[in-house]
Amino acid sequence: MSSDPDFLPFTRPAIDEATIAEVAAVLRSGWITTGPKCRDFEAALSQRFGGRPVRLASSATAALELALRIAGVGPGDEVITTPLSWVATANVILSVGATAVFVDVDPATRNIDLERVAQAVTPRTRAIVPVDLAGLPVDRDRLYEMARRHGLRVIEDAAQSFGANWRGREVGASGDLVAFSFHANKNLTTAEGGCLVMNSEAEARCFEKLRLQGVTRHADGGMDVDLLGGKANLTDVAAAIGLGQLRHIEAFTARRRELARRYFERWDRALGCALPPADFEQSNWHMFQPLLPLERIALSRGAFIEAMRAQGIGVGVHYPAMHLFTLYRERGYAPGDMPAAEHIGARTVTLPLFPLMRDEDVDRVCAAVTRVLRPVLT
Ligand SMILES: *Cc1c(COP(=O)(O)O)cnc(C)c1O
């Protein structure tokens, strides 16, 4: 991060003064960990998702891991997922003792290729973990048709798609188990945090136990522990931030879509970068990610990022294809296994896109990209 006030980071949270005042009120209240603010936030989220049960967690990673446990996934089971995501998506599969089975992405959407998912199903496959990369939703109709046909649970890693919709249906309002992240960089933040949307009160009770040491409290003040839980509860300090964010989420998403549209209008097409799908209805535009035309430029991605930084613009990389990480190579994956994910993972760059950006900031980024790439085009 730069201390230069003109530096434009690739993302920045928007926290208003009312939210800061509410956080201060929680800090002064004498009750700062899980309590009334968490219950209010869970109720507000549940209302948003058509009354489905929602429970908060300390992160989406924790919510995903507990979701796998609720779905009964464990040692000996295979879980199919995408190699193009934050590594948490696959790590949680290993954490519950199951095998992560990667299938390549669709080069157009950059999301898991559902055709290939069907081909990867074996008698040991228990679940699929799709990811809405950059907030572009996976085709929910085909996803659930395929899951039904093969008898699979679906644990949606919707960490990036809060506020997105599939054919007008809000992500989270339907489906099986749906996990969201409230990490600082996500569209709705609690600094750190996450939640799981579930199918029944029985699943929600199980989630409550798993997130706090397996404890069930009795009305007489006693308690019991009948399964091994961990420690993954959210604080009221964080929930107060989330409630403040929720008031603005519709405006945040609308503004992100506007800015994304402007990128498409102002982008220099002669550079030869592949742009993401131009979906301004369903995607929540969590990120704007062109692919660098590495074959046509005499410049590495690292050098591009450096050159942009020198112009006062932050650039991220989300993500290298994760099956090539040592942990997954040790489990049998090798270069060439997932050509589409590898192609995208090697070329993707995340440019600034967040609700507080001005229109002129988009123009500035587009001009800087042109300045950096034009001279090195071969
Ligand atoms: C951010 C993210 C996660 C993890 O969320 P945390 O709240 O940081 O644990 C998982 N999957 C995807 C796709 C993400 O973007």
Side-chain angles (χ1 to χ4, degrees), residues 319-358:
Y319 303 91
M322 74 173 93
H323 67 287
L324 299 181
F325 295 159
T326 303
L327 184 69
Y328 292 95
R329 286 191 196 220
E330 285 170 358
R331 282 159 177 76
Y333 288 97
D337 287 350
M338 313 278 149
E342 290 168 32
H343 179 92
I344 295 164
R347 288 160 183 77
T348 189
V349 286
T350 305
L351 299 183
L353 178 57
F354 53 92
L356 292 177
M357 264 172 79
R358 299 163 304 170

Side-chain angles (χ1 to χ4, degrees), residues 61-84:
T61 305
L64 286 165
E65 186 175 333
L66 301 194
L68 287 164
R69 291 186 63 186
I70 286 172
V73 176
D77 295 332
E78 293 175 0
V79 179
I80 298 173
T81 193
T82 170
L84 208 56

Side-chain angles (χ1 to χ4, degrees), residues 57-64 82 84-90 92 129-134 157-161 179-186 191-195 286-287 318-319 322:
S58 50
S59 67
T61 305
L64 286 165
T82 170
L84 208 56
S85 179
W86 174 230
V87 69
T89 306
V92 294
V129 181
V131 175
D132 304 317
L133 192 67
D157 180 343
Q160 301 186 359
S161 51
F180 292 103
S181 172
F182 305 135
H183 173 265
N185 285 355
K186 302 305 200 291
E192 297 283 357
C195 74
H286 171 59
M287 296 186 281
H318 307 88
Y319 303 91
M322 74 173 93

